[in-house]
Amino acid sequence: MDFVESCLDAVLMFGAYTTARAMAISRLVIRFFWCGLSSVLVTYLYIKVLQERNDRGSNSFRIYLLILGVYAGLRFFLAMLLKFPACHRLSEMSDQSFFQFFKWIYQERYYVGRGLFEGTSDYLRYVLFWLVIFLCKFTFAYFLQIKPLVKPTNIILDLPTLEYSWHDFVSKNNNNVLTVASLWAPVVAIYLMDIHIWYTLLSALVGGVMGARARLGEIRSPEMVHKRFESFPEAFVKNLVSPQTKRMPFDRQSSQVSQDMNKAFAALFSPFWNEIIKSLREEDYISNREMDLLSMPSNTGSLRLVQWPLFLLSSKILLAIDLALDCKDTQADLWNRVCRDEYMAYAVQECFYSVEKILHSLVEGEGKLWVERIFREINNSILEGSLVITLSLQKLPLVVSRFTALTGLLIRNETPEQAKGAAKAVYELYEVVTHDLLSSDLREALDTWNILARARNEGRLFSRIVWPKDPEIKEQVKRLHLLLIVKESAANIPKNLEARRRLEFFTNSLFMDMPSAKPVSEMLPFSVFTPYYSETVLYSYSDLRHENEDGISTLFYLQKIFPDEWDNFLERIGRGESTGDADLQESSRDSLELRFWASYRGQTLARTVRGMMYYRRALMLQSYLEKRSFGENDYSQANIPSPQGFELSRESRAQADLKFTYVISCQIYGQQKQRKLAEATDIALLLQRNEALRVAYIHVEESGAADAKNSKEFYSKLVKADVNGKDQEIYSIKLPGDPKLGEGKPENQNHAIIFTRGEAIQTIDMNQDNYLEEAMKMRNLLEEFRANHGLRPPTILGVREHVFTGSVSSLAWFMSNQETSFVTLGQRVLAYPLKVRMHYGHPDVFDRIFHISRGGISKASRVINISEDIYAGFNSTLRQGNITHHEYIQVGKGRDVGLNQIALFEGKVAGGNGEQVLSRDVYRLGQLFDFFRMLSFFFTTVGYYVCTMMTVLTVYVFLYGRAYLAFSGVDRGITKEAKLSGNTALDAVLNAQFLVQIGVFTAVPMVMGFILELGLLQAVFSFITMQLQLCSVFFTFSLGTRTHYFGRTILHGGAKYKATGRGFVVRHIRFAENYRLYSRSHFVKALEVALLLIVYIAYGYTEGGAVSFILLTLSSWFLVISWLFAPYIFNPSGFEWQKTVEDFDDWTGWLLYKGGVGVKGDNSWESWWDEEQMHIQTLRGRILETILSLRFFIFQYGIVYKLHLTGKSTSLAIYGFSWVVLVGIVMMFKIFSFSPKKSTNFQLVMRFSQGIISLGLVTALSLVIALSDLSITDLFASILAFVPTGWAILSLAIAWRRIVWWLGLWDSVREFARMYDAAMGMIIFTPIAILSWFPFVSTFQSRLLFNQAFSRGLEISIILAGNKANVEL
């Protein structure tokens, strides 16, 4: 293996010999000879041992063992010093020449990449991880793949010469080697890639255990939020409140002190919780009523117990009254029943104390004496345990109704009429309490009370009341009123699913391990950084009203997808539910609010800016509460600061601005301003609305030189909005030239990173979002830079993402689940224990100083750095960085939602991974990682795509092997002799391939994530639902996408950035558009596999008959169907008859349009066909394409010997004659397709010739069929033979285009290619057209695509129908 490695190094470094250092070349040469000599010596001794194994006096075996032991010991010693962390530093300190020489031979010296090792404990963890994988892999491979094939292989090798049904060239006298190779090839293919299967399974298991230990998913439903809400304040204060704010000099041993501390915790928690609820209301996820129910009282008043949010106490008073009405026992028994529900006990206590306090504040004079007397008697009864005797509990509903009427008046503004009504309500309450609720003895005592009787007789009793003016009393009145009237179940609050999810995750994260928060003044300053080019900033009103081809506008779509949020929006701006779009347009303020509301539900820059500015808002709140708590020497609830006015505090704003900076790098903002584009206006609007927002852009100035030639000067500028809303320049830096060197996005980040401040920088893409509750945890996350994470401090902090685009369509849900699985469980395992997590995009937090001084956060070389994000991770790791992952904080992320968008994105990523193979970063990491860490790195980056490609290649290898056996005719003989039917090894291989193909192993981490965060039942339900929605078809289709683009990049290079778009994709995609996108990546390959399957069924042999055929080829047929029809299955309205007819007209028009100069591929088949060949540019690529195209010739060579016409003849002349027939067919096609423009001078002769040839062809075929052994079956078999040959000729002609052009045959080649595309299109289109005849198919498809929306009761049918009448409804 060392010798093979040295040979590969020598060959693959061939192109770098002229630029490489002499020492590097010398090392390659020395290693080549050293490994070669070692291999020769060991091999020689091994052969010698075999020859003398029967000679007892021979010493060869001892010498062989000695040399092998010395060699193994030397390798182990060097491996220990270079790879084992405990010995690595010792080897670094040694300066012995001899030792350094062997070290240099074993591992080249690098400056970048030095010290690439981890601590001993981390090393042992990932070594153990891979040892478990190897144990599983080798056990499975030996018992289910290798061992079952050994005996049949020996039988085949010993078989006598088999009779071949074709003219055999290579299979004579070689022990049936090709037959053996056909059987072993798929086994070897799976053997090479199944390690990734075992990695997926073990990583899912390890990730699930780690997630459970991290307490993920403990709170995953509203019921769990309710049950554990009591513990939230203490957990919040412990983790998210700085020491300055939570100074509490209490001894927790005392029960009274413990109760006071709980109230203090609640007082500290409430301002943050209420601000979170307020942000949910501002985002229209909850209504005003829900906000009132979710808000928490300040708990700073004189009330002696903790006041919880009303949604926890809703309907509890009514339930307690029902218990009291049914009470037949003592007071203690009644209270025990109430206390079974702790929130019911809280509600009863709060209601009692609040009523007492409110009545005390309302009445004066004799009325106050009555209130004091009543509550004194009730308190005495409670102490004596005689409450059920003192009060007539059956009258409680009447008392509650009277008090509810009173609070209903008091929550309004004071007017004379309201005051009279309130006084009357208090008097009625007095009457009910005195004469109905109290016992007879107490009633008589009150009636004969002289002071009270005199005031009642004189009409002074409760004649006037003191209307509540104190904010605390007003809050208690409003809260008590809601407590008495709300009958909704707490399980329904909040109703919005996104609001529920956010509150569940936030409350769950309070119990996860995180560093304690530092005060804002002491926290690490940080910046947030977003690159932007020309994406949507803010939807304009015309964008929202613009209707697509179905008559559906974006605004109408959003109203139907988010109906509850639309109602909340109308309530927030003070509009009724019947308000129309035109009504909103009348008000400029409402129109602007509408634009923001819609933009906040798309993947826009406005949404990202709002989310990131929550950091500033959170820091202002935290700073304000810290400043207000300074200087308080004596602790009490009254000294706990209030959050009121924190946004207006100059000190808090200044402190937040010192610690937080948000820079958007809008590369072409200057050009957009010059052109007065809408994007520039919208960015300026964002600057005006967010005073802490900064925009960096490239400014280009034309300068006239002395030689009359204009030259350009480039400046990097930073601007903000001044007091007048105009752009105010802050910095301007002259650049040495045009900064755009590569794809654009890396340069967009690099030129503006100088404008960021602080010690950390969070990279945020422009399709992301953030939440206020998560922004509050940023101080904790930044403290991770100071925490202990192994041998080195962290340089990149990985952050969890939530994909917010998976709520409507099935495709979006699949993509969301797949992405969520990777950014949670997948990256959790990569960071620990594997220690190979990289930077896979946003929203990771970088150590700004570390990366600015080590090359920045982006690499900008064109093509090779197309996946620029991951190179930041490579760069950090190579320079002794440490990348961690943290899941107690999350950031929102938008993903592609349509199949075409998803395919373009996956194609971009796959092409980027193909380019990574060529990068020096991957080479250095592969060279310098130890073996086990290198395995982790490989199988989670480029190795994933290699294994994906191997999965598809296994199908090809299996089917071409079966085709060889079928064509050669040896399958019948070897099946009977070697008993290969139902072979265990082949079954194991095909089953493993099929499970990978349909995404089962991809879904294992996903299901584990479901179990962890949703629960087992919900996980099973979600997985079954995904299967019913054909997620296996989607995963199989994605497999083809990744394979195609990765393979093309490996063969030809030249990966390109593909803009996927971030709009709302619920529109019908034209057949021609799908054909253009997937023709070469999926359709051609699927038809090739289908052709192989047909050949196998027609000419192959299995002992089990049709059942064996089905079992062996099931996965392959599933792949064919998925690759051919997935774009149309997942295409909205894909089976609607009218759209099918329109698609056919559009496709035929595109196919027949000749095109020309400047015509794009979207409009002309010829232009598209030329564009599809642009990747073949190099001689190496042409040679590889030629080699790959040769496989198609096997069809014609095999089938011609299977025709009835040829009998059992194996003469080579038969194959030669088939080429004569093919040439004749081509000539006739050329005659029939001759262009009328070129035959204008002999039109009559041409048409006469075509008629004569047609008649002659029909006559000749009839005679041949009648007079020879040629059958109708042979005609169809000939088509199977000639179609692949024609495609091979086309592929060769395209590969060697210049030669074909020089020969003057290019026009003919293009017409043949058009014919092939027309035929492929018809094969795909015909089943679609047939299914479109049946209306129920379209209905079923809509349900399939939009099940999530249907489950939420949304009107998807209206959206898809495109009916203007429905729109008006």
Side-chain angles (χ1 to χ4, degrees):
M1 290 181 68
D2 283 339
F3 178 66
V4 172
E5 182 187 3
S6 64
C7 292
L8 288 174
D9 282 340
V11 172
L12 296 177
M13 288 288 291
F14 179 77
Y17 285 163
T18 56
T19 57
R21 293 177 291 113
M23 289 292 290
I25 303 299
S26 302
R27 177 179 173 275
L28 288 178
V29 174
I30 294 173
R31 270 179 56 84
F32 177 78
F33 284 106
W34 166 256
C35 296
L37 291 174
S38 302
S39 301
V40 169
L41 179 60
V42 172
T43 305
Y44 170 76
L45 288 174
Y46 180 71
I47 295 173
K48 194 75 172 173
V49 168
L50 291 178
Q51 291 174 348
E52 300 177 2
R53 61 181 179 271
N54 296 324
D55 186 0
R56 296 184 178 180
S58 174
N59 293 322
S60 299
F61 183 68
R62 295 193 185 113
I63 297 173
Y64 173 71
L65 287 180
L66 178 62
I67 293 178
L68 201 62
V70 171
Y71 181 76
L74 179 63
R75 291 300 305 271
F76 180 75
F77 177 70
L78 289 172
M80 287 284 289
L81 291 179
L82 291 173
K83 301 298 183 184
F84 200 77
C87 304
H88 196 283
R89 291 181 179 175
L90 178 64
S91 68
E92 290 290 333
M93 292 187 291
S94 176
D95 57 355
Q96 293 293 326
S97 303
F98 179 79
F99 177 75
Q100 289 294 337
F101 173 77
F102 277 97
K103 234 182 91 172
W104 174 67
I105 292 295
Y106 187 76
Q107 184 180 87
E108 188 175 355
R109 297 192 191 100
Y110 291 96
Y111 177 77
V112 176
R114 68 196 186 283
L116 206 59
F117 60 92
E118 292 295 331
T120 304
S121 58
D122 292 326
Y123 176 79
L124 293 176
R125 286 189 190 95
Y126 61 72
V127 167
L128 178 62
F129 180 92
W130 279 104
L131 289 178
V132 173
I133 290 178
F134 283 137
L135 178 63
C136 297
K137 171 190 169 53
F138 291 139
T139 304
F140 173 83
Y142 177 74
F143 287 104
L144 292 178
Q145 293 180 352
I146 298 173
K147 186 178 179 180
L149 265 185
V150 172
K151 184 178 179 181
T153 300
N154 290 327
I155 295 175
I156 294 172
L157 291 174
D158 296 336
L159 283 175
T161 304
L162 295 172
E163 181 181 351
Y164 289 84
S165 60
W166 61 9
H167 186 82
D168 186 60
F169 287 102
V170 296
S171 298
K172 294 180 179 179
N173 303 320
N174 62 2
N175 299 99
N176 306 308
V177 171
L178 284 181
T179 302
V180 173
S182 299
L183 296 174
W184 277 90
V187 176
V188 173
I190 286 294
Y191 181 83
L192 293 175
M193 61 80 61
D194 66 351
I195 193 170
H196 187 265
I197 297 175
W198 294 108
Y199 166 80
T200 302
L201 295 176
L202 185 59
S203 65
L205 178 62
V206 172
V209 172
M210 291 174 57
R213 290 186 61 191
R215 307 186 69 173
L216 278 169
E218 286 189 358
I219 299 175
R220 54 176 177 261
S221 67
E223 291 78 13
M224 293 181 177
V225 174
H226 303 152
K227 290 178 181 178
R228 299 188 60 177
F229 201 94
E230 273 187 294
S231 59
F232 294 165
E234 183 176 357
F236 181 90
V237 171
K238 174 186 174 184
N239 289 322
L240 300 187
V241 176
S242 64
Q244 276 81 344
T245 311
K246 61 182 179 183
R247 294 176 294 113
M248 298 176 185
F250 287 140
D251 179 10
R252 299 203 61 175
Q253 300 302 318
S254 168
S255 60
Q256 179 62 38
V257 170
S258 178
Q259 181 178 352
D260 290 342
M261 287 202 68
N262 290 335
K263 187 167 178 63
F265 287 143
L268 289 171
F269 173 64
S270 62
F272 295 97
W273 175 262
N274 290 339
E275 202 63 28
I276 292 170
I277 300 305
K278 181 182 176 183
S279 72
L280 289 174
R281 181 63 193 95
E282 292 170 353
E283 296 171 21
D284 297 317
Y285 288 122
I286 59 175
S287 63
N288 291 339
R289 181 180 179 82
E290 288 178 317
M291 183 175 70
D292 292 337
L293 296 176
L294 287 166
S295 297
M296 188 171 182
S298 62
N299 281 286
T300 57
S302 57
L303 208 60
R304 296 191 297 272
L305 75 162
V306 178
Q307 293 178 281
W308 299 107
L310 283 172
F311 80 102
L312 299 174
L313 311 180
S314 61
S315 72
K316 300 298 183 183
I317 294 296
L318 303 178
L319 294 174
I321 291 175
D322 291 338
L323 290 177
L325 295 177
D326 296 337
C327 178
K328 307 295 183 183
D329 301 317
T330 64
Q331 172 190 315
D333 294 330
L334 175 60
W335 185 242
N336 287 335
R337 289 180 194 165
V338 170
C339 289
R340 289 174 186 173
D341 185 340
E342 55 190 7
Y343 290 118
M344 186 184 296
Y346 278 123
V348 171
Q349 287 178 308
E350 182 179 346
C351 183
F352 179 75
Y353 292 131
S354 297
V355 168
E356 179 182 8
K357 189 168 185 178
I358 291 172
L359 289 178
H360 267 293
S361 68
L362 290 178
V363 298
E364 296 177 335
E366 295 84 352
K368 187 179 288 290
L369 295 176
W370 176 78
V371 171
E372 293 173 351
R373 174 80 177 271
I374 290 293
F375 280 94
R376 183 168 58 252
E377 295 291 344
I378 293 176
N379 285 325
N380 291 334
S381 299
I382 293 174
L383 293 175
E384 296 170 0
S386 60
L387 184 67
V388 295
I389 300 173
T390 304
L391 302 180
S392 175
L393 299 182
Q394 301 298 322
K395 299 298 181 179
L396 279 178
L398 184 60
V399 175
V400 169
S401 65
R402 295 293 187 272
F403 199 85
T404 303
L406 173 61
T407 55
L409 293 170
L410 294 177
I411 60 176
R412 302 173 185 174
N413 294 327
E414 182 183 9
T415 62
E417 292 78 10
Q418 297 287 356
K420 291 180 181 178
K424 182 180 178 182
V426 172
Y427 190 82
E428 291 176 353
L429 177 65
Y430 156 75
E431 290 286 345
V432 169
V433 170
T434 304
H435 299 107
D436 294 324
L437 181 64
L438 299 179
S439 64
S440 56
D441 295 340
L442 190 55
R443 184 189 317 142
E444 291 177 4
L446 290 175
D447 284 339
T448 58
W449 191 7
N450 292 331
I451 298 176
L452 202 64
R454 188 183 310 113
R456 184 174 63 249
N457 294 334
E458 294 176 0
R460 291 184 291 102
L461 185 63
F462 307 120
S463 60
R464 60 180 296 274
I465 64 171
V466 180
W467 201 267
K469 295 290 193 302
D470 183 22
E472 180 185 349
I473 299 297
K474 293 174 69 175
E475 179 187 352
Q476 284 191 355
V477 169
K478 181 179 179 181
R479 178 177 169 82
L480 183 59
H481 182 71
L482 290 173
L483 189 62
L484 295 175
I485 67 170
V486 173
K487 299 179 181 180
E488 302 173 35
S489 171
N492 297 325
I493 300 172
K495 297 178 182 178
N496 186 274
L497 297 179
E498 175 64 9
R500 288 185 182 183
R501 183 200 64 79
R502 283 173 52 176
L503 292 179
E504 288 164 13
F505 180 83
F506 171 69
T507 53
N508 187 94
S509 69
L510 297 178
F511 301 95
M512 298 174 68
D513 290 334
M514 65 179 79
S516 298
K518 292 283 186 181
V520 175
S521 59
E522 298 177 17
M523 67 175 284
L524 291 176
F526 73 104
S527 297
V528 176
F529 193 57
T530 298
Y532 165 83
Y533 187 68
S534 60
E535 297 88 347
T536 303
V537 179
L538 189 68
Y539 289 122
S540 67
Y541 190 77
S542 59
D543 292 335
L544 297 177
R545 296 287 296 168
H546 177 73
E547 297 178 349
N548 62 11
E549 60 183 11
D550 296 326
I552 300 301
S553 66
T554 300
L555 181 58
F556 176 77
Y557 168 79
L558 292 174
Q559 289 170 344
K560 296 304 177 184
I561 295 299
F562 306 108
D564 55 335
E565 296 173 29
W566 174 251
D567 293 339
N568 295 338
F569 165 70
L570 293 177
E571 182 185 33
R572 177 167 59 83
I573 63 174
R575 297 277 190 160
E577 294 184 2
S578 60
T579 304
D581 305 339
D583 299 330
L584 297 177
Q585 181 65 11
E586 294 174 357
S587 169
S588 59
R589 183 185 68 86
D590 291 348
S591 177
L592 182 61
E593 287 295 323
L594 173 64
R595 293 177 59 198
F596 274 103
W597 180 86
S599 301
Y600 290 156
R601 276 137 193 87
Q603 299 183 48
T604 61
L605 183 63
R607 179 175 190 163
T608 305
V609 170
R610 180 197 64 176
M612 297 308 119
M613 293 309 295
Y614 278 140
Y615 284 129
R616 183 171 186 264
R617 182 171 169 183
L619 291 176
M620 288 166 58
L621 175 61
Q622 292 163 339
S623 174
Y624 183 78
L625 295 179
E626 289 170 3
K627 294 295 183 184
R628 291 289 298 273
S629 66
F630 286 165
E632 303 289 350
N633 297 321
D634 297 324
Y635 179 84
S636 67
Q637 282 91 3
N639 291 332
I640 294 178
S642 167
Q644 299 297 326
F646 78 93
E647 292 177 317
L648 302 177
S649 169
R650 296 179 59 185
E651 294 83 359
S652 299
R653 290 162 62 165
Q655 187 68 262
D657 290 339
L658 283 174
K659 296 297 180 179
F660 168 73
T661 305
Y662 186 26
V663 177
I664 302 178
S665 182
C666 304
Q667 187 173 356
I668 58 172
Y669 177 57
Q671 301 176 31
Q672 291 172 336
K673 286 198 299 182
Q674 290 177 354
R675 299 172 186 170
K676 298 182 179 180
L677 298 180
E679 287 85 353
T681 305
D682 294 336
I683 292 173
L685 179 60
L686 294 180
L687 285 169
Q688 296 165 21
R689 291 170 65 103
N690 302 277
E691 63 177 348
L693 181 62
R694 304 290 183 264
V695 169
Y697 65 96
I698 300 294
H699 176 67
V700 184
E701 288 186 0
E702 301 279 352
S703 60
D707 55 359
K709 291 184 179 180
N710 289 333
S711 62
K712 293 182 178 180
E713 293 182 347
F714 297 87
Y715 294 85
S716 183
K717 295 196 174 187
L718 184 73
V719 297
K720 67 175 182 179
D722 61 15
V723 292
N724 299 316
K726 304 296 183 182
D727 287 352
Q728 177 182 346
E729 184 177 303
I730 305 173
Y731 298 110
S732 179
I733 302 173
K734 186 175 181 180
L735 303 175
D738 190 349
K740 187 174 180 181
L741 304 173
E743 303 297 335
K745 182 180 176 181
E747 299 90 326
N748 201 3
Q749 295 183 143
N750 289 336
H751 93 90
I753 196 171
I754 192 66
F755 298 128
T756 59
R757 295 186 290 114
E759 298 180 39
I761 178 170
Q762 184 177 32
T763 53
I764 293 292
D765 210 345
M766 68 117 331
N767 61 337
Q768 296 198 244
D769 195 4
N770 199 15
Y771 319 111
L772 178 62
E773 64 272 18
E774 302 305 315
M776 292 178 179
K777 293 178 278 190
M778 192 62 181
R779 292 189 299 177
N780 305 76
L781 180 66
L782 293 173
E783 289 304 305
E784 297 284 0
F785 282 117
R786 298 168 176 168
N788 180 16
H789 289 282
L791 200 60
R792 305 176 186 87
T795 52
I796 298 179
L797 304 177
V799 177
R800 174 190 175 111
E801 289 178 312
H802 164 69
V803 181
F804 56 72
T805 50
S807 60
V808 178
S809 74
S810 300
L811 282 178
W813 189 41
F814 300 157
M815 192 68 179
S816 170
N817 291 335
Q818 182 176 325
E819 184 73 11
T820 300
S821 170
F822 174 70
V823 300
T824 54
L825 187 144
Q827 294 187 19
R828 186 186 311 150
V829 175
L830 292 180
Y832 183 87
L834 299 185
K835 304 297 285 187
V836 291
R837 187 193 187 276
M838 300 297 163
H839 173 58
Y840 303 102
H842 311 276
D844 292 354
V845 181
F846 289 75
D847 183 330
R848 179 173 173 270
I849 307 302
F850 178 92
H851 286 89
I852 282 184
S853 60
R854 289 167 176 81
I857 62 174
S858 296
K859 287 196 173 184
S861 297
R862 189 177 294 275
V863 180
I864 198 168
N865 294 141
I866 188 172
S867 298
E868 79 287 342
D869 294 323
I870 199 168
Y871 286 92
F874 294 162
N875 189 46
S876 184
T877 302
L878 282 167
R879 286 157 176 81
Q880 303 185 37
N882 186 13
I883 304 176
T884 59
H885 185 67
H886 309 278
E887 296 190 77
Y888 53 79
I889 184 172
Q890 67 175 355
V891 174
K893 175 73 172 180
R895 275 298 178 206
D896 309 290
V897 296
L899 185 63
N900 291 7
Q901 289 181 318
I902 293 171
L904 289 172
F905 170 76
E906 292 190 332
K908 179 185 71 174
V909 175
N913 272 268
E915 292 294 341
Q916 288 172 31
V917 176
L918 305 177
S919 68
R920 70 181 68 183
D921 305 80
V922 171
Y923 173 76
R924 285 171 174 166
L925 288 169
Q927 288 283 316
L928 299 174
F929 273 152
D930 61 75
F931 177 71
F932 296 101
R933 198 175 177 199
M934 181 271 294
L935 285 174
S936 303
F937 172 70
F938 175 75
F939 283 104
T940 54
T941 51
V942 296
Y944 170 76
Y945 289 90
V946 171
C947 293
T948 298
M949 188 166 61
M950 288 299 298
T951 304
V952 177
L953 289 179
T954 301
V955 177
Y956 280 84
V957 168
F958 165 71
L959 290 178
Y960 270 103
R962 288 284 149 169
Y964 166 78
L965 296 177
F967 287 144
S968 63
V970 300
D971 53 348
R972 183 183 298 271
I974 64 170
T975 300
K976 292 181 178 179
E977 294 290 338
K979 301 187 183 302
L980 286 175
S981 64
N983 183 268
T984 305
L986 204 56
D987 288 344
V989 166
L990 295 177
N991 290 337
Q993 183 277 331
F994 182 52
L995 293 176
V996 173
Q997 171 191 309
I998 64 176
V1000 168
F1001 293 110
T1002 304
V1004 168
M1006 191 187 307
V1007 173
M1008 180 59 74
F1010 285 158
I1011 293 173
L1012 183 65
E1013 301 193 28
L1014 301 178
L1016 179 60
L1017 292 178
Q1018 184 63 35
V1020 173
F1021 176 77
S1022 298
F1023 181 72
I1024 293 175
T1025 303
M1026 288 177 62
Q1027 296 302 321
L1028 294 177
Q1029 292 180 257
L1030 304 184
C1031 74
S1032 295
V1033 174
F1034 168 75
F1035 287 131
T1036 300
F1037 189 81
S1038 297
L1039 189 78
T1041 304
R1042 293 191 291 268
T1043 299
H1044 172 76
Y1045 287 102
F1046 181 75
R1048 174 181 283 189
T1049 305
I1050 292 295
L1051 289 175
H1052 304 287
K1056 295 181 179 179
Y1057 179 84
K1058 301 177 185 296
T1060 58
R1062 295 186 171 112
F1064 303 102
V1065 182
V1066 187
R1067 67 178 183 89
H1068 177 74
I1069 307 297
R1070 294 286 189 184
F1071 179 88
E1073 184 176 344
N1074 278 329
Y1075 187 86
R1076 287 191 295 269
L1077 185 57
Y1078 304 117
S1079 172
R1080 298 306 182 256
S1081 60
H1082 293 80
F1083 298 161
V1084 169
K1085 296 178 176 62
L1087 291 173
E1088 180 185 356
V1089 174
L1091 198 61
L1092 285 166
L1093 289 168
I1094 293 171
V1095 166
Y1096 179 33
I1097 292 173
Y1099 303 116
Y1101 172 80
T1102 56
E1103 197 174 48
V1107 176
S1108 295
F1109 276 121
I1110 293 173
L1111 293 177
L1112 284 175
T1113 60
L1114 177 64
S1115 64
S1116 302
W1117 279 116
F1118 187 84
L1119 181 141
V1120 169
I1121 295 171
S1122 299
W1123 283 7
L1124 286 179
F1125 299 107
Y1128 306 100
I1129 293 174
F1130 295 114
N1131 184 19
S1133 303
F1135 297 98
E1136 186 180 326
W1137 176 250
Q1138 183 59 39
K1139 292 188 182 297
T1140 302
V1141 173
E1142 295 172 358
D1143 283 357
F1144 183 78
D1145 293 339
D1146 177 71
W1147 179 67
T1148 52
W1150 170 78
L1151 186 68
L1152 299 176
Y1153 185 54
K1154 295 294 183 181
V1157 178
V1159 178
K1160 295 183 179 180
D1162 293 346
N1163 302 320
S1164 165
W1165 174 88
E1166 291 186 7
S1167 300
W1168 167 80
W1169 191 62
D1170 290 334
E1171 292 171 1
E1172 284 295 311
Q1173 304 160 22
M1174 297 302 294
H1175 62 281
I1176 306 176
Q1177 298 288 342
T1178 63
L1179 178 62
R1180 169 181 168 274
R1182 293 187 178 92
I1183 294 174
L1184 291 174
E1185 285 289 335
T1186 301
I1187 294 173
L1188 292 175
S1189 299
L1190 295 179
R1191 70 184 187 274
F1192 293 107
F1193 289 110
I1194 191 177
F1195 292 93
Q1196 182 181 343
Y1197 186 73
I1199 290 175
V1200 294
Y1201 291 101
K1202 295 288 185 178
L1203 300 178
H1204 294 93
L1205 180 65
T1206 59
K1208 295 186 177 180
S1209 175
T1210 59
S1211 172
L1212 190 59
I1214 293 176
Y1215 181 61
F1217 181 73
S1218 69
W1219 277 97
V1220 175
V1221 175
L1222 180 61
V1223 171
I1225 293 173
V1226 171
M1227 294 301 296
M1228 284 187 288
F1229 174 81
K1230 183 64 179 174
I1231 293 173
F1232 281 101
S1233 63
F1234 199 79
S1235 176
K1237 294 181 180 180
K1238 298 180 180 179
S1239 59
T1240 53
N1241 296 328
F1242 48 96
Q1243 279 278 349
L1244 184 60
V1245 175
M1246 198 66 198
R1247 296 172 67 181
F1248 179 76
S1249 300
Q1250 291 174 349
I1252 294 298
I1253 292 173
S1254 300
L1255 294 174
L1257 181 62
V1258 173
T1259 304
L1261 279 176
S1262 302
L1263 291 174
V1264 170
I1265 293 173
L1267 301 177
S1268 68
D1269 294 334
L1270 182 69
S1271 62
I1272 300 297
T1273 308
D1274 287 348
L1275 293 179
F1276 287 101
S1278 299
I1279 295 174
L1280 288 180
F1282 291 142
V1283 167
T1285 302
W1287 185 258
I1289 294 171
L1290 274 178
S1291 301
L1292 293 173
I1294 292 171
W1296 303 98
R1297 177 174 181 172
R1298 294 180 182 177
I1299 298 175
V1300 176
W1301 188 281
W1302 179 74
L1303 293 174
L1305 300 175
W1306 186 249
D1307 291 340
S1308 300
V1309 169
R1310 184 165 52 204
E1311 292 306 316
F1312 273 109
R1314 192 196 304 270
M1315 179 189 69
Y1316 269 89
D1317 277 316
M1320 283 193 294
M1322 289 306 300
I1323 290 172
I1324 300 168
F1325 192 86
T1326 301
I1328 296 172
I1330 293 173
L1331 291 174
S1332 298
W1333 287 344
F1334 305 100
F1336 69 87
V1337 176
S1338 181
T1339 304
F1340 174 77
Q1341 184 206 24
S1342 299
R1343 178 76 197 205
L1344 183 79
L1345 287 179
F1346 301 102
N1347 183 67
Q1348 277 73 26
F1350 277 114
S1351 65
R1352 290 165 52 195
L1354 304 184
E1355 302 172 73
I1356 292 296
S1357 58
I1358 298 179
I1359 294 177
L1360 296 177
N1363 190 333
K1364 292 293 184 66
N1366 288 340
V1367 174
E1368 293 173 1
L1369 289 175

